[in-house]
Structures are given as structure tokens and as C-alpha cells.
């Protein structure tokens, strides 16, 4: 009986406890005391890791080609922007590493080695043959693709190496100069040139052109292009030519100038001060084309000599060029003169190759570059890119330029275009009057 009473008392206590709890919770059963389950959230798979393609650019941002180099740098970055926009959905990212060569082949080599240490294996080579000649041995030894926007020396036209060029060689530029000389009726030609691979290459090709066209190379003078040397060496070269051609200057004489910016300014000043050569017809080369420095320092001399020069150029009528022109003007705030279209295409073509094959392995990129070059697979700001057996542009376009005085100011003008395949010149209306002096 005691046991039953005990059980009944315990039951009453438990019942009262339950009633108390229910009253304290408003009549609702208490929550379970188990550990709460974390809130479930919807998650997406982490984005695919980007594959980074590294591209380099070796440019003479300081020195005698700096105004051109800055245009090339902006064009190269524009190409990177376009590549990243076009291939982001594939998980590809393109990066540009820029180094200043100072227009010095030894510095160019050091900066190429710097890019190599960063893992870059495809590089916009130095703008000039002087730089490219310093970069090339290391590139050949270490499988680095060099693709130049403005190196033209025939001395670097070598098959099976690692240097490629999106412009025609000096042999093609000299054909354009030969056509100018023929059209002018020139029989006697003098040459002043930078003693570097660019100048030496043009000298060699001009000798061949003299035989082909039938004019005489009556005087030649070279000068050291080193910044410490040319301020004195260039005027000495001008005086040498002046003494040798003093009885030849006339309607059938022309002086061909092979220079860049800083040295070219010194050459033009010396010509302007010379009593003989200041009366000569002048022929320029693409290292001078549309240079603001030369226009400022020697515009009056070029205008008086009715200079006609050459430049590897992009045909301005194609949709690709028009689109490039619009973007370049918006981004860079300048006219896209050479080498801007070429630099854009160098980086863009290399990037598109990497994207198409999914790798930046230099052997595979090189093989594809040569294939595209043979087949004309890439079409960009400079048109369809076709490369010859030496990896150089097989189908260049040349613009002829001049300098005239408008409203008291020296101004560049487009004289016409040289058709390499037809060996003929098509003049602009203004250029025809300028060229013939009518």
C-alpha cells in the first residue's frame, strides 16, 4: 500500500510540473533541445579558375623613338583589352608586361631576359631592327617568339628563327623608294644613313635597286647612331655628301635619308644649313614617317626639299581598320600612325592564337603562327596578315607622305599609296600636286 501511495504522489508531482510548463509557454509544447540544424543556403560551384596568357612588349619608351613607342604601347594595351573582352567567357585572361629598351640593343636583351624570368614566351619585339638584333640570339636559344611591328632590316630576314615581323622588309620598302625615284626622273642618288642593322639593310637594298632601276648611287655616308656620337657624326656625314655632289644637285638628283627622330632632327638641321643640300630633293624612310619631333625640329627643311617618304601602313578603308581607329582614338587620344596598327595586330594575333589552341606553349604558338601566316587566317587593323618563308610580312602596304606649309605651319600630308604587286603609285589629289610641283 505504501508503494502505491508513493507512485501516486510521484505521478501527481509530474502532472503538476507538466501543467506548470504548459502554462508558462502559452499552452504550446516546448521545443526540442537538440542542436539546431544550420540554415541551408543554395551555393553555386566556384567559378572555373582563369587561365592566364602572358604577353610582353619591348618598346623604346625613352630615346630617339619614344613618340612612336608610346603609340605602340597604347595600341598593344588596346589589343589586350579586346582579347579580355572577347575571351573572358572561356576563362581566359591576357596580361601585358611592358619593358623600356631605351632604343639600345644591349638594354633590349636585358629586358627580354626580365620578361623571360616572368614566364613570358611571346613578345612584341623592339620596334627597330637595332633592338631586334640584340634580342634575337637569346630568343632563338630559349624559344621566345619575337613579333616585331616595325623592324624591317633585310639582314634579319632569316628562315626558321624565332623572329617574325608584321611589316615588309627593307627590300620591299626600297621598291617603293625606287618607284618614287623613277617617277621623279632621278638619275643620281646620295644616301645618308644610320650605321645600324636598319640603315645597313636599306643601303644594301638601295644598291640592288640602283641596278634594277638604272640610277647611280653617287655618294654614301653613314653615321654612328649612338646618342653620344650622332650630334657630331651626323653633320659630318652631311658635309661629306655635300662636297661629293656639289656639281650634281638638280632636278635629276635626290638625297635619301635613313634616320629616326633625335638623330634625324640633327641631320635635317645640317641639311638646312648646307648651301648645296638645302636645294636638293629629299626622300624619307619610314623611321621618319609622321614624327612630331621631326616636324617640329625640321619641318621647314622637309617642306623646302619637298620630301617624299615611305611608311608601312594599314589601308584605312577596311572595316577592321575603321573599328581599330575608333577605339584607338577613344583610348589613346591620338592619330593611330605607324606603328600603332601594327602593334595592335601583333598582340591581337598572338592572343587569338593562344585562345584558339588553349595554350601559350611557345612551340605550339609558333607552329600556329606560321600556319596562320601561310593561310592568311588573321585579318586585323593592317588587313590580312600573310608571312613569307622568313616570317616577314609578304603583303605590305605602303603610304607615301610629305610635308608642306599650311597657314605658316609645317604639316604632314598623304601623298599617295604604293602598290607593291603592281609596282605603281596612286596619288592623292593634294599629293599629286605636291609630288610634281604643279
Amino acid at each position: 500500500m505504501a508503494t502505491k501511495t508513493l507512485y501516486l504522489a510521484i505521478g501527481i508531482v509530474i502532472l503538476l510540473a507538466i501543467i506548470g510548463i504548459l502554462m508558462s509557454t502559452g499552452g504550446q509544447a516546448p521545443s526540442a533541445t537538440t542542436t539546431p540544424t544550420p540554415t541551408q543556403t543554395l551555393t553555386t560551384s566556384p567559378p572555373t579558375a582563369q587561365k592566364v596568357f602572358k604577353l610582353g612588349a619591348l618598346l623604346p619608351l625613352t630615346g630617339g623613338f619614344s613618340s612612336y613607342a608610346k603609340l605602340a604601347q597604347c595600341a598593344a594595351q588596346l589589343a589586350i583589352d579586346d582579347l579580355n573582352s572577347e575571351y573572358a567567357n572561356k576563362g581566359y585572361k591576357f596580361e601585358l608586361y611592358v619593358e623600356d629598351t631605351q632604343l639600345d640593343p644591349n638594354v633590349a636583351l636585358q629586358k627580354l631576359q626580365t620578361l623571360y624570368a616572368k614566364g613570358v614566351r611571346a613578345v612584341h619585339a623592339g620596334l627597330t631592327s637595332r633592338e631586334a638584333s640584340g634580342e634575337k640570339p637569346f630568343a632563338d636559344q630559349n624559344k621566345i617568339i619575337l613579333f616585331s611591328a616595325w623592324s624591317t632590316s633585310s639582314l634579319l630576314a632569316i628562315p626558321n628563327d624565332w623572329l617574325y615581323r608584321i611589316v615588309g622588309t627593307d627590300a620591299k620598302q626600297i621598291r617603293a623608294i625606287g618607284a618614287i625615284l623613277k617617277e621623279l626622273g632621278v638619275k643620281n642618288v646620295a644616301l645618308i644613313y644610320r650605321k645600324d642593322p636598319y640603315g645597313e639593310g636599306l643601303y644594301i637594298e638601295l644598291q640592288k635597286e640602283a641596278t634594277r632601276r638604272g640610277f647611280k648611287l653617287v655618294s654614301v655616308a653613314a653615321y654612328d647612331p649612338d646618342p653620344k656620337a650622332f650630334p657630331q657624326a651626323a653633320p659630318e656625314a652631311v658635309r661629306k655628301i655635300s662636297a661629293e655632289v656639289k656639281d650634281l644637285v638638280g632636278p635629276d638628283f635626290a638625297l635619301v635619308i635613313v634616320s629616326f627622330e633625335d638623330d634625324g632632327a640633327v641631320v635635317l638641321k645640317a641639311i638646312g644649313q648646307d648651301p648645296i643640300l638645302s636645294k636638293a630633293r629629299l626622300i624619307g624612310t619610314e623611321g621618319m614617317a609622321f614624327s612630331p619631333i621631326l616636324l617640329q625640329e625640321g619641318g621647314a627643311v622637309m617642306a623646302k626639299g619637298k620630301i617624299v617618304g615611305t611608311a608601312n601602313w594599314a589601308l584605312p578603308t577596311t572595316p577592321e581598320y575603321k573599328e581599330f581607329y575608333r577605339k584607338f582614338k577613344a583610348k589613346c587620344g591620338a592619330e593611330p600612325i605607324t606603328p600603332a596598327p601594327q602593334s595592335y595586330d601583333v598582340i591581337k594575333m598572338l592572343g587569338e592564337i593562344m585562345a584558339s589552341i588553349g595554350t601559350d606553349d611557345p612551340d605550339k604558338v609558333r607552329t600556329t603562327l606560321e600556319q596562320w601566316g601561310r593561310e592568311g587566317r588573321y585579318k586585323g587593323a593592317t588587313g590580312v596578315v600573310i608571312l613569307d618563308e622568313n616570317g616577314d610580312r609578304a603583303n605590305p602596304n605602303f603610304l607615301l607622305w610629305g610635308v608642306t606649309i599650311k597657314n605658316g605651319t609645317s604639316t604632314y600630308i598623304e601623298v599617295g599609296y604604293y602598290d607593291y604587286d603592281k609596282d605603281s603609285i596612286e596619288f592623292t589629289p593634294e599629293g599629286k600636286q605636291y609630288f610634281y610641283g604643279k
Side-chain angles (χ1 to χ4, degrees), residues 188-202:
N188 298 306
V189 177
L191 170 68
I192 181 170
Y193 71 94
R194 299 167 51 93
K195 194 171 180 58
D196 63 4
Y198 175 60
E200 292 287 355
L202 278 172

Side-chain angles (χ1 to χ4, degrees), residues 54-72:
K54 296 180 179 181
L55 291 157
L58 296 169
L59 299 170
L61 297 170
T62 55
F65 233 42
S66 59
S67 67
Y68 296 119
K70 290 169 185 175
L71 295 176

Side-chain angles (χ1 to χ4, degrees), residues 105-126:
N106 296 317
V107 174
L109 169 59
Q110 295 169 9
K111 295 306 176 70
L112 178 60
Q113 292 169 335
T114 297
L115 292 178
Y116 182 79
K118 294 178 179 179
V120 180
R121 298 295 182 269
V123 176
H124 178 308

